[in-house]
């Protein structure tokens, strides 16, 4: 897996009731845009899938907001899957963000 993308993470600090913005690199991002049912083109839905290699430590939790394009488009993290397998070259965590 060639992981050369970067990611912005906006996380809520519940103690201070403020948002903290973090950045992470060495991840692989894929944007999947949704198509409208009448085939008139893209609509505002869709998702961002981020694959975080096992060697990387990225502090992301469900409910955080993530962006792959420098903060222009934000996605809310709805799911985190553990796809780590010992001895695999593709071992990673999969983060799914939806608009």
């Amino acid at each position: 897996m060639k992981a050369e993308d970067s990611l912005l993470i906006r996380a809520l600090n519940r103690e201070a009731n403020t948002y903290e913005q973090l950045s992470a690199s060495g991840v692989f991002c894929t944007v999947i845009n949704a198509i409208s049912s009448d085939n008139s083109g893209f609509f505002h839905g869709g998702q961002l899938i981020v694959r975080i290699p096992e060697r990387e430590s990225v502090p992301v939790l469900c409910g955080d907001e993530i962006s792959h394009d420098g903060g222009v488009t934000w996605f809310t993290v709805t799911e985190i899957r553990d796809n780590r397998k010992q001895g695999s070259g593709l071992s990673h965590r999969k983060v799914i963000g939806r608009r």
Side-chain angles (χ1 to χ4, degrees), residues 20-94:
E20 297 174 351
Q21 187 162 306
L22 311 167
S23 63
S25 58
V27 299
F28 180 74
C29 298
T30 305
V31 177
I32 299 174
N33 288 310
I35 304 287
S36 63
S37 59
D38 63 358
N39 294 327
S40 63
F42 297 111
F43 66 99
H44 72 280
Q47 62 185 8
L48 172 63
I49 299 174
V50 181
R51 289 175 176 82
I52 304 169
E54 186 174 31
R55 67 185 179 277
E56 298 293 329
S57 174
V58 177
V60 64
L61 300 171
C62 284
D64 289 350
E65 294 179 338
I66 55 176
S67 175
H68 73 293
D69 57 6
V72 175
T73 308
W74 290 94
F75 297 81
T76 302
V77 176
T78 58
E79 189 174 348
I80 300 174
R81 297 181 189 169
D82 189 356
N83 290 343
R84 294 178 288 185
K85 294 184 175 80
Q86 190 172 14
S88 170
L90 298 174
S91 186
H92 64 281
R93 285 188 303 144
K94 184 177 191 179

